[in-house]
């Protein structure tokens, strides 16, 4: 139920600098003026809180937490809350900025934000996590709000924490405020289709890119790194469209089948095996590092950051990379990918199906009316396809890779809105 990414990250770049390097290229191509550049690169607000929590042993521990609002130019800021022992301010800043760009790419009326608390949720009791979540909410009650800043789950948090956050916020306001947070349990106003939304968006992006590259899905092969929420749904939905998924991996290892892995079977196995593929009989085990560099048509990194780096990018043979994870490609690897002519559907486009359906959850909460699953999927698919076309058109117009094109589309929209709204 918790959203977690347990594996260590090799060659990790400073995430904020990595984001800024791409931002700078796009800003230069666009000819962004200095004033707007300075506004867009600087987070609007960075809050550090220290929240005291009574632990189960009766002692009080103080936890450091963050909320960074990168931008509210397009609308209320939106972004998850991460509970992890190694969360740090630069990471939260980068993730907040990515949210601004992601929402702008898919053209939804949100700015970007992100939060985090330095803690190890896997060594804490449910009661401790609940008190921590409520204390953090109290300390940020003036920042959060359905029209101000709307949190969601991220690593180490899930529907349970969102329910506590919504309840604590509602108690303070004296009214039930469903729309203050997304990613809630269904019974509390969550949206149908949210769980699979990111993987579905990855599939839609993959299909759109394959069409541009003249690849026939039913004649194509793929590997998917990460078999959690995003990876398993992306693999399942791509397989349903005829793509042969030759390899998948998770923290337990990588698995390969020359005839294609039966994804339904793998998901069923994982669900009965504590979320892991370990011991899966429908495939042979292989070296997880080789999974990324093996000869397939499509590579879907859907696990953690910085897995495609200068150390392995030379060996990558896929024609298309669709980034399910946030930041799976290091900035330094971009250049070689471009030289090799590999098309990348970047994270801020490929995995934006999640925030799109979070937006639908907020819309439904505000209307007080639930949509059917078909309506959610149909609208999300339309938004993903339109966004893909916008980014593709920008890549053609400016003769830049899809990643820079996605930043261009996003920065252009936020900059234009900023100009119309006016500064100080
Ligand atoms: P998850 O915890 O459900 O799954 C992560 C998967 O990756 C697990 O199968 C885990 O075993 C595997 N994994 C971890 N380290 C690995 C490694 N080194 N090699 C191979 N596999 C490894 O998480 P998720 O929700 O699927 O998120 C995956 C990525 O997608 C993250 O980068 C996340 O930020 C991004 N993302 C998720 C959403 C969402 O809605 N869930 C939205 C946008 C972006």
């Amino acid at each position: 139920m918790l959203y977690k990414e347990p594996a260590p990250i090799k060659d990790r770049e400073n995430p904020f600098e990595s984001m800024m390097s791409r931002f700078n290229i796009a800003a230069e191509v666009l000819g962004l003026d200095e004033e707007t550049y300075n506004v867009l690169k600087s987070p609007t607000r960075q809050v550090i809180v220290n929240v005291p929590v009574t632990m189960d042993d009766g002692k009080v521990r103080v936890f450091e937490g963050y909320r960074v609002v990168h931008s509210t130019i397009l609308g209320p800021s939106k972004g998850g809350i991460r509970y992890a022992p190694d969360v740090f301010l630069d990471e939260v800043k980068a993730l907040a900025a990515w949210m601004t760009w992601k929402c702008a790419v898919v053209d939804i009326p949100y700015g970007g934000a992100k939060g985090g608390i330095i803690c190890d949720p896997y060594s804490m009791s449910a009661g401790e996590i609940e008190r921590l979540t409520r204390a953090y909410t109290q300390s940020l009650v003036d920042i959060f709000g359905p029209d101000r800043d709307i949190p969601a789950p991220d690593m180490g948090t899930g529907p349970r924490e969102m329910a506590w956050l919504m309840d604590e916020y509602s108690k303070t306001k004296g009214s039930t405020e469903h729309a203050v947070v997304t990613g809630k349990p269904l019974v509390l106003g969550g949206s149908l289709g949210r769980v699979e939304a990111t993987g579905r968006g990855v599939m839609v992006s993959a299909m759109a890119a394959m069409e541009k590259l003249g690849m026939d899905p039913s004649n194509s092969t793929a590997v998917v790194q990460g078999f959690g929420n995003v990876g398993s749904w992306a693999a399942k939905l791509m397989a349903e469209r005829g793509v042969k998924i030759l390899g998948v991996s998770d923290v337990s290892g990588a698995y390969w089948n020359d005839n294609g892995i039966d994804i339904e079977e793998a998901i069923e196995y994982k669900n009965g095996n504590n979320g892991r593929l370990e011991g899966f009989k429908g495939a042979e085990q292989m070296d997880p590092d080789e999974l990324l560099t093996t000869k397939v048509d499509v590579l879907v990194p859907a696990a953690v950051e910085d897995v495609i780096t200068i150390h392995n990018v030379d060996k990558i043979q896929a024609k298309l990379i669709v980034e399910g994870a946030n930041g799976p490609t290091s900035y330094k690897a971009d250049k070689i990918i471009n030289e090799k002519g590999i098309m990348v559907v970047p994270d801020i486009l490929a995995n934006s199906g999640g925030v799109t359906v979070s937006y639908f959850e907020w819309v439904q909460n505000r209307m007080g009316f639930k949509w059917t699953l078909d309506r959610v999927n149909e609208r999300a698919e339309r938004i993903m396809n339109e966004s893909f076309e916008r980014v593709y058109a920008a890549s053609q117009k400016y003769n830049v890779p899809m990643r820079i094109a996605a930043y261009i589309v996003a920065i252009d929209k936020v900059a234009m809105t900023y100009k119309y709204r006016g500064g100080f």
Side-chain angles (χ1 to χ4, degrees), residues 24 28 80 84-85 118 136 181 229 238 277 287 325 335 405 409 419:
N24 287 343
E28 202 173 314
I118 303 174
Y136 176 76
V181 61
N229 174 300
M238 283 169 70
L277 286 166
D287 178 349
K335 189 167 170 271
V409 167
K419 288 265 184 252

Side-chain angles (χ1 to χ4, degrees), residues 120-125 128:
D120 178 8
Y122 302 100
S123 68
M124 292 167 70
S125 70
E128 289 170 342

Side-chain angles (χ1 to χ4, degrees), residues 2-8 82 95 102 154-155 194-195 197-198 225-231 249-253 270 275-276 288 302-305 307 324-327 351-352 354-355:
L2 283 181
Y3 174 97
K4 57 180 170 178
E5 292 159 24
R82 183 167 280 202
L95 289 160
K102 210 180 277 193
D154 192 81
M155 265 168 66
R194 174 61 187 92
V195 172
T198 309
Q225 184 198 40
F227 207 63
N229 174 300
V230 179
S249 70
D250 69 5
V251 271
S252 72
K270 158 191 105 134
R276 291 183 178 211
V304 291
E305 288 137 66
V307 293
N326 280 318
N351 71 31
S352 58
V355 73

Side-chain angles (χ1 to χ4, degrees), residues 191-204 229-230 233 237 350-358 360 373 376-377 380-381 384:
S191 177
L192 289 167
R194 174 61 187 92
V195 172
E196 63 269 39
T198 309
R200 183 173 287 279
V202 169
M203 175 277 291
V204 173
N229 174 300
V230 179
W233 274 103
L237 296 169
N351 71 31
S352 58
V355 73
T356 302
V357 176
S358 272
F360 293 168
L373 181 60
V376 169
N377 286 343
E381 192 157 333
M384 290 304 298

